[in-house]
Amino acid sequence: MSEDDMHRDPRQLEFTSLALTDCAPDDSRLLFSVPTPDGYDLWQMPITKQARAESLWESGGNQIHGNFSPNGKFIAYASRKELGRYEVYVVDSSRPQNSEQKVSTGVRQAEGGSEPRWRADGKELYYLSEDRSLVAVPFQNGMPGTPSVLFRTGA
């Protein structure tokens, strides 16, 4: 992909350069990653005839593994913002700029995190820590609880 492609509307990019990461539970929006010089940015786009894709963050960054909560209110994702490692964050899908919460914190034996996935009822978020442990974070009223390691995977 050329440098000019990095700054175009994702609808103008080749399909092969986008990575679809999730669809909202009500089928109203798509969540996808767009390559940038620094990694990837998460974008969302309504599924309508007049849809216009929008980056979730004005400042860019490197966000991957976007995942809508079962009710569509939140987006969990991994980002490499601090210490050069991926961490898991959750944002309100209607106002991602002002609602970011770091979730992968407070687990001393399992630092960092990626590949977040919600439990079917939205009351818990799972992710893989940097040492490949499966970690669970309870969620209540949009607020994360304390992460706990469930087990270490063989990967």
Side-chain angles (χ1 to χ4, degrees):
M1 183 168 25
S2 72
E3 182 67 28
D4 290 337
D5 285 340
M6 300 292 188
H7 304 289
R8 277 206 233 150
D9 186 318
R11 293 176 300 159
Q12 298 171 346
L13 298 174
E14 291 181 34
F15 181 72
T16 57
S17 65
L18 304 177
L20 180 65
T21 62
D22 204 7
C23 181
D26 64 359
D27 296 329
S28 65
R29 294 168 287 157
L30 293 175
L31 191 61
F32 57 95
S33 294
V34 176
T36 69
D38 299 325
Y40 290 89
D41 282 342
L42 280 178
W43 288 59
Q44 66 177 333
M45 183 171 78
I47 302 174
T48 64
K49 285 185 179 183
Q50 303 298 321
R52 178 158 176 82
E54 297 178 342
S55 176
L56 295 181
W57 293 268
E58 294 172 6
S59 61
N62 190 7
Q63 304 94 26
I64 59 172
H65 303 145
N67 191 247
F68 282 106
S69 63
N71 64 7
K73 291 176 122 179
F74 302 99
I75 297 171
Y77 64 96
S79 181
R80 191 177 358 208
K81 296 178 182 202
E82 304 169 9
L83 308 172
R85 69 172 176 230
Y86 282 99
E87 299 284 354
V88 174
Y89 296 85
V90 172
V91 294
D92 182 317
S93 65
S94 65
R95 51 183 183 87
Q97 296 282 344
N98 302 316
S99 64
E100 187 174 73
Q101 297 179 74
K102 185 176 172 183
V103 173
S104 56
T105 184
V107 183
R108 294 161 65 127
Q109 66 271 35
E111 298 291 331
S114 63
E115 302 182 44
R117 294 292 178 263
W118 294 92
R119 192 168 81 183
D121 63 7
K123 293 182 179 180
E124 206 163 33
L125 179 70
Y126 304 103
Y127 66 87
L128 289 174
S129 67
E130 202 169 61
D131 74 352
R132 307 303 287 171
S133 294
L134 184 63
V135 179
V137 181
F139 263 79
Q140 189 169 31
N141 301 321
M143 298 301 296
T146 303
S148 61
V149 174
L150 299 178
F151 57 87
R152 183 161 161 70
T153 68

